[in-house]
Amino acid sequence: MCGIIGYIGHKDILSVLISGLSKLEYRGYDSSGLCVQNSGNLTIIRKCGKIAELSAALSQSSLSGKVGIAHTRWATHGEPSEKNAHPHSDCTKSIALVHNGIIENYHSLKELLEKEGHVIETEVDSEVLVHLIEKFYEGDLEEAVMNALSYTEGTFGIAVMHKDEQRIVAARRGSPLVVGIGENEMFIASDVSAILNHTKRVIYLNDNEIATITNTHCVTKNLGGEILTKKVDEVQWTIDAIEKDGFEHFMLKEIFEQPQSIANTLRGRVVDGKVKLSLNVDVKNVKRIIITACGTSWHSALIGKHFIENLTRIPVEVDYASEFRYRKPIIYPGDIMVAISQSGETADTLAAIKEAKAQGATTLGIVNVVGSTIAREVDGGIYLHAGPEMGVASTKAFTGQLVALLLLALYIKQQKGEKLDNELLEDLQNLPTLVKQTLESSKKIIDLAEDFKDSKDFLYLGRGINFPVALEGALKLKEISYIHAEGYPAAEMKHGPIALVDSHMPVVFIAPHDSTYEKIISNMQEIKARKGKIIAVSDKGAEIQKLADIVFKVPSVRDELSPIINILPLQLLSYYVANVKGLDVDKPRNLAKSVTVE
Ligand code: M6R
């Protein structure tokens, strides 16, 4: 939610800020803006819409300077408009601020500041913060920011500059920030992708920390003013990983990257018939596991429940993080909470972890982004190593999460002293090859996209371990093509959704040849009898061909691996349908990649 970049150094400031923002655009794209310090003044330029609008507005600009901050917005308070875009500034136009997060005591602060004569021009909560900093400013920006934050409730990742100071002050509580260290230049950013083409040396800020950067120094303190000694990390991601590499969209690139990303998740983790994980947590005596997540990661959690319960017989509960945190959950001694998150920044998932920890649970994370807040909050965990996922619609993270969950289930079984199935381990090692084959043979789905682009509704049906695949297939379609889609357990269809079925309704069946196969065939017949258009994802040929209008044929795999294979044609279906509709696949309306507000 919202992306921030700040720069202080000798390079062309507009290109550093604009290229940084374009890497952060996946975090929000309602509006954008920047501020550059120029001859003792602050110049602020803001635009409604995507970064391209801001970039176009600056194309003829000769604006230059050595200190600047920029922001891409996902609106929380106040509609997406130029006026509400960041940076915001104070009454004297001496201070500029960009903010990610929500100021919860916005109303009381606004009232207080207005009584003192501040003119607050927008409905944006962030604007009160810059006025609060102005109130405390007496020649030292860092001190003023610290003072202002001591009165601030809520979440923030901020970068602030003053017209008379050659530095940027940044602080975080609940919204990620990273400092990038270059040669006579420093950066501040919401995540490393914005600065990766300049430096790989970074300092991750923790909650309630403040960093003051000049072009040569970075001083970090806690919000109480004590100086902190922070570790400088070396980022492992490459620049190529955040480029489209010839693909039209990141989403398509990430779909086709899955053979590699799955191989990365597996690398070094299955050795000589054993699963090797450095979990940092003893799982041998676990009594119950609670998996929590949001969105696509929650769908992985539902499949993870199957893996863990089937392989270890340990009971697993799956909770939406946003529900878990507010419903007085019961935690027993010996419970482990597993939190799944691609970004490692999702606010609800983080809050659920904190709640579980407070009640005595041990926590594990299944996270993609190394060094993210959730990765640092949990007691131990598994990184996906899937590389950066830039498309808002999650694809390679989903399959990586499934592989990580399967490894976790196998590892728990092994730690309990039970023998692992060697064939399953071999099949797991062979998975990247099967994923590659499936993707290659699914490319022809592109020819069908035109037929579905005008559909109003889709139904996705699956059973057992493939029911969450139906949920995920439906989510993929609705979030990028704006076609209403529902995922349902196939047997539940008769209890309501079948009323929707007519000749205009495409119904996608996930129909692997497993113990649920016969039942799925009956469900298909019920749809056929009502003239629904059947699309089947199946490893079975002839029989399905008779019933289904379209079959996406996939390789036969064992039950545990079938969700990973079956989701692939559904990812492509949603991509091609959205693309043929001419929609912005990587930046679907109203969404942001990383949901750092509740
Ligand atoms: O980064 P996280 O995995 O915690 O994100 C959770 C959801 O916001 C995310 O999966 C969302 O549902 C995606 N847009 C799905 O494609």
Side-chain angles (χ1 to χ4, degrees):
M1 310 263 93
C2 304
I4 289 174
I5 175 156
Y7 177 67
I8 177 159
H10 49 275
K11 288 183 181 145
D12 173 27
I13 194 144
L14 293 186
S15 65
V16 172
L17 295 178
I18 292 290
S19 80
L21 279 187
S22 60
K23 296 286 183 300
L24 293 172
E25 199 171 18
Y26 73 90
R27 300 178 69 89
Y29 31 81
D30 292 334
S31 61
S32 61
L34 55 75
C35 173
V36 173
Q37 191 193 71
N38 181 268
S39 317
N41 285 312
L42 297 182
T43 305
I44 293 180
I45 296 165
R46 301 181 292 194
K47 283 283 158 211
C48 195
K50 299 196 171 134
I51 311 292
E53 308 291 328
L54 181 67
S55 184
L58 290 165
S59 61
Q60 305 301 323
S61 169
S62 56
L63 184 61
S64 65
K66 293 198 170 357
V67 189
I69 54 177
H71 186 270
T72 179
R73 178 170 187 246
W74 187 85
T76 53
H77 284 58
E79 57 167 6
S81 67
E82 194 166 312
K83 188 171 162 220
N84 288 342
H86 296 222
H88 288 279
S89 71
D90 63 322
C91 298
T92 60
K93 308 292 175 224
S94 304
I95 304 171
L97 164 140
V98 288
H99 169 227
N100 175 15
I102 294 179
I103 308 300
E104 282 163 8
N105 56 340
Y106 151 78
H107 287 290
S108 57
L109 288 175
K110 186 171 186 236
E111 214 174 279
L112 174 114
L113 288 160
E114 282 177 339
K115 267 192 202 139
E116 292 184 5
H118 291 259
V119 180
I120 297 184
E121 292 170 357
T122 72
E123 286 306 306
V124 181
D125 55 341
S126 319
E127 196 194 343
V128 299
L129 195 48
V130 74
H131 285 271
L132 198 58
I133 296 168
E134 177 188 24
K135 170 180 159 73
F136 290 113
Y137 188 78
E138 287 175 358
D140 183 337
L141 186 62
E142 185 190 83
E143 211 174 284
V145 170
M146 261 197 253
N147 256 323
L149 293 180
S150 69
Y151 290 89
T152 304
E153 288 163 23
T155 55
F156 50 80
I158 52 168
V160 195
M161 57 192 283
H162 190 282
K163 71 180 178 55
D164 300 328
E165 298 197 26
Q166 294 292 304
R167 55 186 186 161
I168 297 172
V169 178
R172 78 160 269 180
R173 182 188 294 155
S175 297
L177 278 181
V178 60
V179 175
I181 304 166
E183 285 296 315
N184 289 319
E185 59 180 358
M186 292 274 178
F187 304 81
I188 185 83
S190 296
D191 75 47
V192 294
S193 61
I195 55 176
L196 209 52
N197 51 344
H198 302 286
T199 183
K200 289 190 164 191
R201 298 180 66 225
V202 298
I203 296 172
Y204 293 103
L205 291 191
N206 288 325
D207 276 351
N208 299 311
E209 289 181 358
I210 183 163
T212 300
I213 56 170
T214 63
N215 61 330
T216 50
H217 285 85
C218 169
V219 178
T220 44
K221 296 180 180 171
N222 62 24
L223 287 179
E226 282 166 68
I227 294 195
L228 305 168
T229 310
K230 304 272 297 179
K231 188 166 132 257
V232 178
D233 281 295
E234 186 84 19
V235 180
Q236 299 304 322
W237 287 354
T238 61
I239 299 167
D240 295 353
I242 55 168
E243 301 294 346
K244 287 189 201 142
D245 204 15
F247 285 88
E248 195 175 347
H249 292 101
F250 280 112
M251 182 181 176
L252 193 62
K253 176 188 175 221
E254 287 155 8
I255 290 173
F256 280 100
E257 260 173 12
Q258 290 175 102
Q260 191 54 51
S261 57
I262 289 173
N264 291 346
T265 309
L266 282 169
R267 182 160 300 113
R269 286 169 168 163
V270 181
V271 183
D272 299 332
K274 293 242 171 315
V275 173
K276 302 226 180 258
L277 296 177
S278 321
L279 281 190
N280 204 25
V281 160
D282 181 10
V283 292
K284 199 167 70 203
N285 300 312
V286 56
K287 298 279 176 294
R288 182 179 67 145
I289 292 174
I290 301 161
I291 316 184
T292 195
C294 304
T296 286
S297 300
W298 183 77
H299 298 155
S300 301
L302 295 175
I303 296 170
K305 175 181 166 77
H306 283 265
F307 292 156
I308 297 171
E309 289 189 342
N310 291 351
L311 286 165
T312 69
R313 308 310 300 153
I314 292 166
V316 177
E317 284 175 23
V318 176
D319 245 314
Y320 279 118
S322 53
E323 293 295 318
F324 177 88
R325 63 183 291 197
Y326 287 118
R327 70 164 170 74
K328 299 204 181 94
I330 300 165
I331 306 279
Y332 299 112
D335 280 354
I336 291 183
M337 167 178 272
V338 178
I340 308 176
S341 175
Q342 186 288 129
S343 61
E345 301 296 347
T346 302
D348 283 322
T349 309
L350 183 61
I353 296 167
K354 288 185 175 163
E355 175 64 33
K357 269 176 112 172
Q359 291 199 40
T362 304
T363 55
L364 285 174
I366 293 183
V367 174
N368 191 32
V369 179
V370 175
S372 55
T373 310
I374 290 176
R376 285 180 290 135
E377 183 69 36
V378 286
D379 299 306
I382 307 174
Y383 277 124
L384 304 185
H385 298 306
E389 191 179 66
M390 308 298 284
V392 164
S394 188
T395 52
K396 64 175 177 173
F398 178 67
T399 49
Q401 288 163 351
L402 298 186
V403 171
L405 283 158
L406 187 50
L407 288 171
L408 178 64
L410 288 163
Y411 181 76
I412 298 172
K413 187 177 172 74
Q414 173 182 288
Q415 296 309 95
K416 282 161 67 74
E418 293 170 31
K419 197 170 155 11
L420 302 186
D421 175 351
N422 277 331
E423 265 181 41
L424 171 54
L425 295 182
E426 273 167 34
D427 288 354
L428 198 48
Q429 300 279 45
N430 195 33
L431 187 59
T433 311
L434 278 181
V435 167
K436 194 165 189 315
Q437 281 168 12
T438 313
L439 287 170
E440 285 303 319
S441 64
S442 301
K443 277 182 179 167
K444 53 182 182 292
I445 294 173
I446 193 169
D447 301 331
L448 301 169
E450 191 73 33
D451 299 347
F452 295 110
K453 76 175 195 326
D454 297 321
S455 299
K456 296 277 173 284
D457 304 279
F458 263 71
L459 200 54
Y460 284 71
L461 302 174
R463 298 181 82 112
I465 201 166
N466 279 294
F467 156 54
V469 174
L471 293 177
E472 176 61 6
L475 177 63
K476 286 290 87 82
L477 188 75
K478 65 187 146 193
E479 70 180 330
I480 59 167
S481 71
Y482 317 145
I483 296 174
H484 169 249
E486 273 191 66
Y488 242 80
E492 279 293 304
M493 171 196 68
K494 290 197 282 290
H495 300 280
I498 198 163
L500 298 168
V501 176
D502 61 17
S503 58
H504 303 294
M505 168 78 106
V507 183
V508 179
F509 277 93
I510 297 110
H513 193 225
D514 62 9
S515 56
T516 66
Y517 180 70
E518 299 304 333
K519 304 275 178 221
I520 284 270
I521 291 292
S522 310
N523 298 144
M524 275 188 198
Q525 265 149 355
E526 288 151 8
I527 295 293
K528 185 125 185 125
R530 278 136 191 110
K531 301 194 168 30
K533 195 169 178 101
I534 298 177
I535 302 169
V537 177
S538 184
D539 52 336
K540 206 60 175 132
E543 191 176 9
I544 295 269
Q545 295 280 5
K546 278 187 225 145
L547 276 171
D549 297 277
I550 296 162
V551 181
F552 300 156
K553 184 92 168 49
V554 291
S556 287
V557 287
R558 55 192 309 135
D559 288 2
E560 291 89 342
L561 305 185
S562 71
I564 301 172
I565 295 295
N566 292 336
I567 193 59
L568 303 171
L570 302 184
Q571 291 173 342
L572 282 171
L573 176 69
S574 60
Y575 172 80
Y576 289 132
V577 171
N579 202 27
V580 86
K581 288 180 81 173
L583 298 171
D584 192 344
V585 173
D586 284 333
K587 300 181 202 96
R589 70 182 178 207
N590 305 337
L591 288 174
K593 180 76 182 157
S594 183
V595 184
T596 55
V597 292
E598 283 183 43

